[in-house]
Amino acid sequence: MNLIWQAYLQNCRAIIRDGRVVSYGNAPAELANTRAASTGSATVLSDLSHFGLIQFSGGDAQSFLQGQLSCDVRQVSSSAALYGSYCNPKGRMLASFLIWRDRDGDDGNFVMQLPSALLAAIQKRLSMYVLRAKVNLFDSSGMWVRMGLAGSGAGPLVQQVTGGIPDSHLGVIHGEHASVIRLAQDRFELIVAPEHASSIAERLSRDAMPVGAPCWDWLEIKAGIPLITPATQEQFVPQMANLDAIGGISFQKGCYPGQEIVSRTQYLGKIKRRMYLANIKPTGPEIPIEAGDELFSADMGEQSSGMVVNAAASPDGGYDVLAVVQISSVGAGKIYWKSLNGPALEIMPLPYKVSQ
């Protein structure tokens, strides 16, 4: 987290732990307002410094990334972002990310956003494959402040700050002091230079309630956007986490690590697990539900039938989760958290279609 920006957040009463804004002192109210924002009756503002940025530049940046990532990097431009994944040779995801080009995108500059906890290892691994390619990659997290804006007033506020607004899903525009990515109809990410961040945040917070990162986590879960973390690395092929449904896999591009497995899974119809949106209400003492928690079902006996990908406290009680689960188990009956005696998952509809 940029130190000047951190000082500003602390001055705004932000509670920061491990580079992540936990809350502004009233987490229940922040979550309630985030729920209202999801239905279009409020607007919230979240710091996104818990995500890191890897910058790629050089004449071979596009071709290098095209040979490493599951998405079609040729579709990433200064006006369009993409979701994607980076896999090991067995097709298991090491990271999921959002990638875009900066305002100098025509010169080959790409920006990959992923959890800060994964950044160093992913940067090091990608660096090993640069070889003679004209590519420079470095951690640019401190060069930019990221803010998430969601709710009924998000669009007009973006218009005021940047002078424009992206028309399409994952569209990007670059204003004088901020770039913006449209993540959904009423949800945006702003990328701002540190010297302008506090003034822009002051303007936004007049009409948007500042909320902690857990609230943004909840919005991402409700949107069905998976985030690979250290607890879930190398657990899923991209289709299991619905990357194909959100544009994070290209089946027409050339080779990349794990491509053969990913393609075979797709064309031979061997997708046995898919990601579902669900709510879990633990019973008894409050025990947090976390990424990496195993799930069980009667048809699988003592063998795990799934895993929690992401979890966040729900404004309706318990936790809302994204969970990769055996498709047959979902059809056969209840899925349970941690054991067959644990609380059952209440499956909810995702905001997009997924082929079974």
Side-chain angles (χ1 to χ4, degrees):
M1 181 182 291
N2 180 278
L3 294 179
I4 296 174
W5 176 242
Q6 179 176 316
Y8 168 79
L9 290 174
Q10 290 172 327
N11 191 53
C12 296
R13 296 179 296 182
I15 300 170
I16 302 173
R17 294 178 190 151
D18 298 324
R20 174 182 169 92
V21 176
V22 177
S23 76
Y24 289 83
N26 192 343
E30 293 168 29
L31 188 56
N33 273 272
T34 304
R35 179 187 181 183
S38 71
T39 61
S41 57
T43 307
V44 294
L45 174 68
S46 178
D47 172 60
L48 303 182
S49 297
H50 52 287
F51 291 107
L53 301 177
I54 303 176
Q55 189 107 0
F56 300 83
S57 62
D60 295 335
Q62 183 184 83
S63 59
F64 170 75
L65 290 170
Q66 185 75 342
Q68 295 293 324
L69 310 179
S70 66
C71 55
D72 188 347
V73 181
R74 295 169 299 183
Q75 295 180 14
V76 180
S77 69
S78 57
S79 60
L82 271 183
Y83 292 112
S85 65
Y86 180 45
C87 301
N88 68 15
K90 295 182 179 180
R92 300 275 168 159
M93 289 192 290
L94 295 164
S96 58
F97 53 79
L98 181 65
I99 188 169
W100 65 86
R101 284 192 174 194
D102 65 18
R103 63 181 65 247
D104 297 320
D106 290 339
D107 295 326
N109 291 306
F110 292 82
V111 183
M112 175 188 288
Q113 178 172 273
L114 71 170
S116 294
L118 297 182
L119 188 148
I122 297 301
Q123 180 182 342
K124 180 178 180 180
R125 188 182 180 102
L126 284 167
S127 297
M128 292 169 56
Y129 296 98
V130 170
L131 301 177
R132 297 183 181 86
K134 296 178 181 178
V135 181
N136 181 38
L137 59 159
F138 58 94
D139 180 353
S140 63
S141 307
M143 294 172 58
W144 305 101
V145 170
R146 272 78 30 73
M147 308 177 203
L149 194 64
S152 57
L157 285 173
V158 167
Q159 182 81 34
Q160 291 178 27
V161 169
T162 65
I165 189 169
D167 294 327
S168 59
H169 175 60
L170 294 185
V172 183
I173 62 168
H174 300 287
E176 183 178 358
H177 300 308
S179 299
V180 59
I181 303 171
R182 189 170 203 152
L183 303 174
Q185 179 63 29
D186 292 321
R187 198 158 66 93
F188 303 85
E189 176 171 343
L190 282 78
I191 303 100
V192 188
E195 61 267 26
H196 300 294
S198 59
S199 60
I200 287 176
E202 288 287 345
R203 173 63 195 90
L204 296 175
S205 59
R206 293 177 205 162
D207 299 294
M209 179 182 186
V211 299
C215 295
W216 192 260
D217 293 344
W218 181 77
L219 288 170
E220 289 277 89
I221 286 169
K222 295 293 283 187
I225 307 301
L227 189 68
I228 298 302
T229 62
T232 56
Q233 279 189 301
E234 301 186 274
Q235 294 295 321
F236 318 117
V237 297
Q239 293 99 315
M240 290 182 188
N242 301 351
L243 264 288
D244 53 330
I246 61 173
I249 311 173
S250 171
F251 297 105
Q252 286 74 49
K253 62 177 286 184
C255 294
Y256 57 89
Q259 181 264 339
E260 183 178 352
I261 305 297
V262 174
S263 295
R264 186 186 306 158
T265 300
Q266 185 73 16
Y267 293 120
L268 296 182
K270 292 185 178 180
I271 306 173
K272 296 182 179 180
R273 296 190 176 204
R274 275 291 194 179
M275 190 176 73
Y276 295 84
L277 172 64
N279 178 264
I280 308 174
K281 290 185 171 64
T283 57
E286 186 67 19
I287 301 174
I289 293 172
E290 299 176 330
D293 287 351
E294 290 190 318
L295 305 170
F296 294 85
S297 58
D299 65 306
M300 298 286 286
E302 296 183 358
Q303 182 181 348
S304 170
S305 62
M307 179 176 286
V308 173
V309 182
N310 302 115
S314 170
D316 296 317
Y319 289 78
D320 286 332
V321 303
L322 293 174
V324 169
V325 185
Q326 196 86 5
I327 296 171
S328 59
S329 296
V330 174
K334 294 286 188 180
I335 309 297
Y336 301 92
W337 176 59
K338 283 199 169 181
S339 76
L340 291 173
N341 296 319
L345 278 67
E346 177 189 348
I347 304 295
M348 301 183 291
L350 284 161
Y352 50 75
K353 292 184 179 180
V354 177
S355 59
Q356 301 290 359

mmCIF file of all heavy atoms in Angstrom, residues 291-317:
data_model
loop_
_atom_site.group_PDB
_atom_site.id
_atom_site.type_symbol
_atom_site.label_atom_id
_atom_site.label_comp_id
_atom_site.label_asym_id
_atom_site.label_seq_id
_atom_site.Cartn_x
_atom_site.Cartn_y
_atom_site.Cartn_z
ATOM 1 N N ALA A 291 -11.599 -19.646 2.481
ATOM 2 C CA ALA A 291 -11.140 -20.289 1.247
ATOM 3 C C ALA A 291 -10.310 -21.508 1.599
ATOM 4 O O ALA A 291 -9.490 -21.480 2.514
ATOM 5 C CB ALA A 291 -10.313 -19.307 0.426
ATOM 6 N N GLY A 292 -10.535 -22.595 0.876
ATOM 7 C CA GLY A 292 -9.812 -23.833 1.125
ATOM 8 C C GLY A 292 -10.558 -24.811 2.006
ATOM 9 O O GLY A 292 -10.163 -25.986 2.085
ATOM 10 N N ASP A 293 -11.636 -24.380 2.657
ATOM 11 C CA ASP A 293 -12.433 -25.300 3.468
ATOM 12 C C ASP A 293 -13.049 -26.370 2.576
ATOM 13 O O ASP A 293 -13.584 -26.064 1.493
ATOM 14 C CB ASP A 293 -13.558 -24.550 4.198
ATOM 15 C CG ASP A 293 -13.045 -23.702 5.354
ATOM 16 O OD1 ASP A 293 -11.856 -23.817 5.696
ATOM 17 O OD2 ASP A 293 -13.851 -22.932 5.908
ATOM 18 N N GLU A 294 -13.001 -27.606 3.026
ATOM 19 C CA GLU A 294 -13.546 -28.706 2.229
ATOM 20 C C GLU A 294 -15.048 -28.868 2.458
ATOM 21 O O GLU A 294 -15.579 -28.522 3.516
ATOM 22 C CB GLU A 294 -12.819 -30.004 2.550
ATOM 23 C CG GLU A 294 -11.391 -30.031 2.045
ATOM 24 C CD GLU A 294 -10.757 -31.400 2.152
ATOM 25 O OE1 GLU A 294 -10.944 -32.071 3.179
ATOM 26 O OE2 GLU A 294 -10.080 -31.803 1.172
ATOM 27 N N LEU A 295 -15.711 -29.431 1.451
ATOM 28 C CA LEU A 295 -17.149 -29.653 1.476
ATOM 29 C C LEU A 295 -17.425 -31.138 1.254
ATOM 30 O O LEU A 295 -16.651 -31.833 0.588
ATOM 31 C CB LEU A 295 -17.835 -28.821 0.392
ATOM 32 C CG LEU A 295 -17.534 -27.312 0.435
ATOM 33 C CD1 LEU A 295 -18.059 -26.629 -0.814
ATOM 34 C CD2 LEU A 295 -18.125 -26.675 1.690
ATOM 35 N N PHE A 296 -18.551 -31.601 1.792
ATOM 36 C CA PHE A 296 -18.862 -33.024 1.743
ATOM 37 C C PHE A 296 -20.331 -33.240 1.373
ATOM 38 O O PHE A 296 -21.176 -32.355 1.563
ATOM 39 C CB PHE A 296 -18.560 -33.681 3.094
ATOM 40 C CG PHE A 296 -17.106 -33.680 3.437
ATOM 41 C CD1 PHE A 296 -16.516 -32.569 4.045
ATOM 42 C CD2 PHE A 296 -16.295 -34.768 3.131
ATOM 43 C CE1 PHE A 296 -15.156 -32.546 4.341
ATOM 44 C CE2 PHE A 296 -14.934 -34.759 3.414
ATOM 45 C CZ PHE A 296 -14.378 -33.645 4.029
ATOM 46 N N SER A 297 -20.612 -34.427 0.825
ATOM 47 C CA SER A 297 -21.978 -34.797 0.461
ATOM 48 C C SER A 297 -22.142 -36.296 0.665
ATOM 49 O O SER A 297 -21.161 -37.057 0.604
ATOM 50 C CB SER A 297 -22.280 -34.423 -0.987
ATOM 51 O OG SER A 297 -21.356 -35.054 -1.865
ATOM 52 N N ALA A 298 -23.379 -36.723 0.891
ATOM 53 C CA ALA A 298 -23.646 -38.129 1.212
ATOM 54 C C ALA A 298 -23.210 -39.059 0.089
ATOM 55 O O ALA A 298 -22.733 -40.168 0.341
ATOM 56 C CB ALA A 298 -25.135 -38.320 1.518
ATOM 57 N N ASP A 299 -23.362 -38.631 -1.158
ATOM 58 C CA ASP A 299 -23.046 -39.519 -2.280
ATOM 59 C C ASP A 299 -21.543 -39.778 -2.412
ATOM 60 O O ASP A 299 -21.123 -40.749 -3.037
ATOM 61 C CB ASP A 299 -23.587 -38.935 -3.593
ATOM 62 C CG ASP A 299 -22.900 -37.635 -3.973
ATOM 63 O OD1 ASP A 299 -22.885 -36.724 -3.127
ATOM 64 O OD2 ASP A 299 -22.380 -37.532 -5.093
ATOM 65 N N MET A 300 -20.709 -38.926 -1.804
ATOM 66 C CA MET A 300 -19.254 -39.092 -1.881
ATOM 67 C C MET A 300 -18.672 -39.696 -0.600
ATOM 68 O O MET A 300 -17.471 -39.906 -0.520
ATOM 69 C CB MET A 300 -18.592 -37.738 -2.162
ATOM 70 C CG MET A 300 -18.984 -37.103 -3.491
ATOM 71 S SD MET A 300 -18.231 -37.904 -4.920
ATOM 72 C CE MET A 300 -16.545 -37.319 -4.760
ATOM 73 N N GLY A 301 -19.516 -39.929 0.395
ATOM 74 C CA GLY A 301 -19.048 -40.525 1.639
ATOM 75 C C GLY A 301 -18.020 -39.652 2.337
ATOM 76 O O GLY A 301 -18.234 -38.447 2.520
ATOM 77 N N GLU A 302 -16.898 -40.246 2.715
ATOM 78 C CA GLU A 302 -15.849 -39.505 3.413
ATOM 79 C C GLU A 302 -14.940 -38.730 2.469
ATOM 80 O O GLU A 302 -14.072 -37.972 2.907
ATOM 81 C CB GLU A 302 -15.012 -40.469 4.253
ATOM 82 C CG GLU A 302 -15.794 -41.144 5.379
ATOM 83 C CD GLU A 302 -14.921 -42.031 6.227
ATOM 84 O OE1 GLU A 302 -13.710 -42.148 5.924
ATOM 85 O OE2 GLU A 302 -15.432 -42.619 7.194
ATOM 86 N N GLN A 303 -15.109 -38.905 1.186
ATOM 87 C CA GLN A 303 -14.303 -38.180 0.201
ATOM 88 C C GLN A 303 -14.886 -36.784 -0.019
ATOM 89 O O GLN A 303 -16.099 -36.619 -0.167
ATOM 90 C CB GLN A 303 -14.271 -38.939 -1.119
ATOM 91 C CG GLN A 303 -13.414 -38.272 -2.190
ATOM 92 C CD GLN A 303 -13.429 -39.053 -3.494
ATOM 93 O OE1 GLN A 303 -13.887 -40.202 -3.532
ATOM 94 N NE2 GLN A 303 -12.938 -38.451 -4.557
ATOM 95 N N SER A 304 -14.027 -35.782 -0.046
ATOM 96 C CA SER A 304 -14.484 -34.418 -0.254
ATOM 97 C C SER A 304 -15.154 -34.276 -1.622
ATOM 98 O O SER A 304 -14.675 -34.812 -2.623
ATOM 99 C CB SER A 304 -13.303 -33.450 -0.165
ATOM 100 O OG SER A 304 -13.663 -32.154 -0.589
ATOM 101 N N SER A 305 -16.265 -33.547 -1.657
ATOM 102 C CA SER A 305 -16.959 -33.316 -2.925
ATOM 103 C C SER A 305 -16.814 -31.884 -3.409
ATOM 104 O O SER A 305 -17.396 -31.498 -4.421
ATOM 105 C CB SER A 305 -18.452 -33.646 -2.792
ATOM 106 O OG SER A 305 -19.069 -32.811 -1.824
ATOM 107 N N GLY A 306 -16.028 -31.080 -2.687
ATOM 108 C CA GLY A 306 -15.844 -29.708 -3.125
ATOM 109 C C GLY A 306 -14.977 -28.907 -2.197
ATOM 110 O O GLY A 306 -14.464 -29.406 -1.191
ATOM 111 N N MET A 307 -14.796 -27.612 -2.533
ATOM 112 C CA MET A 307 -13.945 -26.722 -1.753
ATOM 113 C C MET A 307 -14.455 -25.295 -1.883
ATOM 114 O O MET A 307 -14.907 -24.870 -2.957
ATOM 115 C CB MET A 307 -12.502 -26.809 -2.256
ATOM 116 C CG MET A 307 -11.517 -25.896 -1.530
ATOM 117 S SD MET A 307 -9.809 -26.146 -2.091
ATOM 118 C CE MET A 307 -9.442 -27.729 -1.319
ATOM 119 N N VAL A 308 -14.366 -24.553 -0.792
ATOM 120 C CA VAL A 308 -14.703 -23.127 -0.808
ATOM 121 C C VAL A 308 -13.602 -22.378 -1.549
ATOM 122 O O VAL A 308 -12.412 -22.542 -1.253
ATOM 123 C CB VAL A 308 -14.861 -22.583 0.627
ATOM 124 C CG1 VAL A 308 -15.045 -21.061 0.604
ATOM 125 C CG2 VAL A 308 -16.044 -23.248 1.321
ATOM 126 N N VAL A 309 -13.997 -21.572 -2.520
ATOM 127 C CA VAL A 309 -13.047 -20.738 -3.266
ATOM 128 C C VAL A 309 -12.874 -19.395 -2.570
ATOM 129 O O VAL A 309 -11.756 -18.938 -2.324
ATOM 130 C CB VAL A 309 -13.525 -20.523 -4.720
ATOM 131 C CG1 VAL A 309 -12.502 -19.696 -5.507
ATOM 132 C CG2 VAL A 309 -13.797 -21.839 -5.408
ATOM 133 N N ASN A 310 -13.991 -18.741 -2.273
ATOM 134 C CA ASN A 310 -13.981 -17.450 -1.576
ATOM 135 C C ASN A 310 -15.172 -17.393 -0.632
ATOM 136 O O ASN A 310 -16.207 -18.012 -0.891
ATOM 137 C CB ASN A 310 -14.067 -16.280 -2.567
ATOM 138 C CG ASN A 310 -12.949 -16.273 -3.582
ATOM 139 O OD1 ASN A 310 -13.192 -16.446 -4.772
ATOM 140 N ND2 ASN A 310 -11.722 -16.102 -3.140
ATOM 141 N N ALA A 311 -15.034 -16.642 0.455
ATOM 142 C CA ALA A 311 -16.105 -16.508 1.433
ATOM 143 C C ALA A 311 -16.093 -15.111 2.017
ATOM 144 O O ALA A 311 -15.026 -14.508 2.197
ATOM 145 C CB ALA A 311 -15.951 -17.546 2.546
ATOM 146 N N ALA A 312 -17.277 -14.585 2.310
ATOM 147 C CA ALA A 312 -17.400 -13.276 2.950
ATOM 148 C C ALA A 312 -18.676 -13.260 3.771
ATOM 149 O O ALA A 312 -19.669 -13.906 3.415
ATOM 150 C CB ALA A 312 -17.424 -12.152 1.910
ATOM 151 N N ALA A 313 -18.643 -12.538 4.886
ATOM 152 C CA ALA A 313 -19.832 -12.410 5.722
ATOM 153 C C ALA A 313 -20.981 -11.864 4.890
ATOM 154 O O ALA A 313 -20.815 -10.934 4.094
ATOM 155 C CB ALA A 313 -19.544 -11.490 6.897
ATOM 156 N N SER A 314 -22.161 -12.457 5.074
ATOM 157 C CA SER A 314 -23.348 -12.059 4.311
ATOM 158 C C SER A 314 -24.204 -11.093 5.123
ATOM 159 O O SER A 314 -24.383 -11.292 6.327
ATOM 160 C CB SER A 314 -24.174 -13.297 3.956
ATOM 161 O OG SER A 314 -25.433 -12.917 3.420
ATOM 162 N N PRO A 315 -24.756 -10.075 4.512
ATOM 163 C CA PRO A 315 -25.673 -9.183 5.228
ATOM 164 C C PRO A 315 -26.950 -9.893 5.660
ATOM 165 O O PRO A 315 -27.677 -9.395 6.517
ATOM 166 C CB PRO A 315 -25.963 -8.070 4.210
ATOM 167 C CG PRO A 315 -25.617 -8.643 2.885
ATOM 168 C CD PRO A 315 -24.515 -9.623 3.132
ATOM 169 N N ASP A 316 -27.216 -11.065 5.091
ATOM 170 C CA ASP A 316 -28.394 -11.848 5.468
ATOM 171 C C ASP A 316 -28.075 -12.904 6.515
ATOM 172 O O ASP A 316 -28.907 -13.747 6.840
ATOM 173 C CB ASP A 316 -28.997 -12.513 4.224
ATOM 174 C CG ASP A 316 -29.505 -11.499 3.222
ATOM 175 O OD1 ASP A 316 -30.144 -10.516 3.655
ATOM 176 O OD2 ASP A 316 -29.249 -11.658 2.026
ATOM 177 N N GLY A 317 -26.862 -12.886 7.050
ATOM 178 C CA GLY A 317 -26.448 -13.850 8.064
ATOM 179 C C GLY A 317 -25.587 -14.945 7.476
ATOM 180 O O GLY A 317 -25.728 -15.329 6.316
#
